[in-house]
Amino acid sequence: MLVVVYCVHCVIMCFFASLQIEILHAKSGKQITRLDHVDNYSTVLDLKKWIYKQFPRYYPARQSLRLEPRGRNLSDEETVRSLDLRVGDRKLYLRDLGPQIGWKTVFLCEYAGPIFAYLLFYLRPAFIYGVTKAKTQPVVHIAFACWTFHYVKRVLETQFVHRFSHGTMPIRNIFKNCTYYWGFAAFVAYYINHPLYTPPAYGDLQVYPALAGFVINELGNFSIHLAFMNMRPPGTKTRSIPYPTGNPFTSLFSLVSCPNYTYEVGSWVCFTIMTQCFPALLFTIAGFYQMTVWAIGKHRNYLKEFSNYPRSRKPIIPFLL
Amino acid sequence: MAAGGKAGPKSPSKPRAVPGPGPLAHGWLVLYNIVLTAGWIAVLYVYIVHVLNNPSPPEVYSGIYDSVEVVLKVFQSLALLEIVHAALGIVPSNVLLTAFQVFSRVFLLWGVAHPFKEAQTSLGMSLCIAAWTITEIIRYSFYTFALLKMKPYVLQWCRYTFFIVLYPIGVSGELLAIYSALTPAAEQKAFSLEMPNPLNFSFYYHYFLVGGMLTYIPVFPQLYFHMVRQRRKIIGGVTKVVKKE
């Protein structure tokens, strides 16, 4: 009986054993600190919080812990036990990711800018265009509505729909991203709202079908975002193979991994045709390039993570790319 | 976002393994570099002949472009092949960097000198052509020898020393040449597109040239100090070896 109690005690002690883990600097190899009284079920996030307590500069989002100096970043949810650290040689390497900023913050910033930038040019201020009596073409009003709708939709989705995989990104990204979005917004808006703007060559025959296309693609893009939201329980980072739902717009999932990007490119192609504006074409091409890079990355991740991922799917363009 | 696999450590990034030239490509590269060395020597010859025949300003510099025009255009334009060489991997150079360097030269020649007489006859033009000529003769002959597995120290020393003076002279020449092209570009509205037009776009070449001049501010110091560091690495090291002996 005593033997049984003793064995149970040992097993319990194994689980709740007090471990020591050395934290070393990934770049120099020097010891930063040693964490005592760590137990097997502490998570990587717990370790980060303890490090943060000792070094207020290194908030957890800024820390990357790995098993080797250049090893893979350990995810916050992993437990000490799963790391399988060798007895007597328990060490982890810490890399400083630099000042971080929340993804949500960056998205809200980069999407709000284009709304105000485009509005500025739409109002045709004299300090940009000089005093002008030129009448605004109907397509210019429509373009303003489309552009504003697109970005208001993005802001609302960021606030209410998007379930982010990552909390933060390096702070320099906000300058890079905002320059891209705000810069292109000004570039496109300047020409469409110009007093000397030339409406499309085929007039209404070009504008209204393109507008219809734009609306369809926006609906499609929103449908995909909703589908993604419903695939991920709130507060989790679950990833699963996307499949078409009851919404017909989601049938594109059977052909591509990232139909949200497909629809987005579609929206901008339609916008370009509708406005017949070369800067809009450049913006469409730039966006297409970037989204293709992202789509290929996500497609590869899907293939790696799920052995039963449908092989016939393409990253962004059905059958082609 | 960590892109690595789930296994342990990632190896430190090493330069991408380059296939290197096969015998056919090797032969081609030797031929290419010999031809270009000869071509730039020809440019130098014409340059010197012009200076000797027209020793007084302004003809001494204003007529340079006129004399070297054909030879210069042929051999500078051939440099476009170097982008192909990098893309095919038969030379270890980075494609984007090579493209950037070649395009900037080709742009100066065809986008600044060729269209504008004011740039052709500028002092800047004669300066940058001189700098280009000396630099390219050294560079192409160096590559020729390297391909033949020879690395004459004299050439290496020249390559990593002359730039100290040639880079600033070349850059000053280029900037002066572009500057002389600004007024005619604006007056002629060269290569420009004004509103209204069916593309709903506008492009002003003289502003584009000004923008080009401004890019020298961040780019030139980076290129220059890269060469300075290379010099320390390559010549600095060799000198130490000589001293030990």
Side-chain angles (χ1 to χ4, degrees), chain A residues 72 166 191 196-198 276 278, chain B residues 1 5 196-200 202:
Chain A
R72 155 191 87 85
H166 310 275
Y191 287 103
L196 295 174
Y197 170 78
T198 311
Q276 199 173 292
F278 184 69
Chain B
M1 174 162 60
N197 62 75
L199 289 176
N200 288 309
S202 64

Side-chain angles (χ1 to χ4, degrees), chain B residues 94-225:
Chain B
N94 176 276
V95 189
L96 280 176
L97 208 59
T98 310
F100 181 77
Q101 289 167 329
V102 174
F103 279 137
S104 75
R105 283 281 188 86
V106 166
F107 171 71
L108 239 130
L109 190 52
W110 291 98
V112 176
H114 174 77
F116 304 109
K117 193 126 191 91
E118 294 82 347
Q120 293 169 16
T121 54
S122 66
L123 173 67
M125 203 70 231
S126 64
L127 287 177
C128 75
I129 294 177
W132 293 359
T133 309
I134 310 287
T135 308
E136 299 300 62
I137 293 174
I138 297 172
R139 188 167 74 93
Y140 287 114
S141 55
F142 178 79
Y143 287 153
T144 310
F145 284 110
L147 282 163
L148 299 171
K149 302 285 194 279
M150 294 185 262
K151 265 200 180 160
Y153 181 66
V154 170
L155 269 181
Q156 203 174 42
W157 185 90
C158 288
R159 182 158 188 238
Y160 288 101
T161 308
F162 280 33
F163 82 89
I164 297 174
V165 152
L166 289 180
Y167 249 52
I169 291 179
V171 165
S172 311
E174 290 173 20
L175 287 172
L176 284 171
I178 299 175
Y179 184 76
S180 345
L182 290 180
T183 319
E187 280 169 7
Q188 300 165 29
K189 298 195 177 157
F191 310 123
S192 298
L193 181 66
E194 286 188 308
M195 290 282 271
N197 62 75
L199 289 176
N200 288 309
F201 182 53
S202 64
F203 181 75
Y204 294 98
Y205 195 60
H206 73 277
Y207 286 131
F208 180 69
L209 289 177
V210 171
M213 288 176 77
L214 289 173
T215 61
Y216 277 76
I217 299 176
V219 173
F220 170 65
Q222 287 189 44
L223 292 176
Y224 192 72
F225 290 113

Side-chain angles (χ1 to χ4, degrees), chain A residues 97-161:
Chain A
L97 297 172
Q100 299 285 299
I101 188 164
W103 269 63
K104 208 175 204 181
T105 314
V106 175
F107 272 35
L108 290 174
C109 214
E110 65 193 20
Y111 296 155
I115 299 175
F116 297 110
Y118 198 101
L119 177 63
L120 173 67
F121 289 92
Y122 177 69
L123 297 172
R124 285 210 184 151
F127 78 90
I128 296 178
Y129 295 119
V131 177
T132 173
K133 289 200 180 72
K135 198 175 155 301
T136 311
Q137 304 282 337
V139 66
V140 173
H141 295 301
I142 299 174
F144 169 70
C146 287
W147 182 279
T148 307
F149 171 78
H150 179 86
Y151 282 99
V152 166
K153 171 178 154 295
R154 281 218 207 185
V155 167
L156 293 174
E157 282 172 342
T158 304
Q159 192 60 31
F160 300 115
V161 178

Side-chain angles (χ1 to χ4, degrees), chain A residues 48 116 152 218-219 232 308:
Chain A
K48 288 184 181 175
F116 297 110
V152 166
E218 290 291 290
L219 284 173
R232 175 172 279 184
N308 57 329

Side-chain angles (χ1 to χ4, degrees), chain A residues 57-82:
Chain A
R57 245 187 78 169
Y58 289 133
Y59 45 87
R62 209 174 147 155
Q63 297 179 38
S64 169
L65 287 173
R66 35 311 261 281
L67 291 165
E68 298 292 327
R70 281 172 184 248
R72 155 191 87 85
N73 178 56
L74 298 170
S75 96
D76 284 355
E77 293 82 33
E78 290 189 55
T79 60
V80 170
R81 188 150 190 261
S82 69

Side-chain angles (χ1 to χ4, degrees), chain B residues 18-22 24-26 28-29 81 84-93 147:
Chain B
V18 169
L24 194 64
H26 187 268
W28 161 256
L29 285 174
L81 286 173
V84 179
H85 296 164
L88 291 175
I90 58 178
V91 294
S93 316
L147 282 163

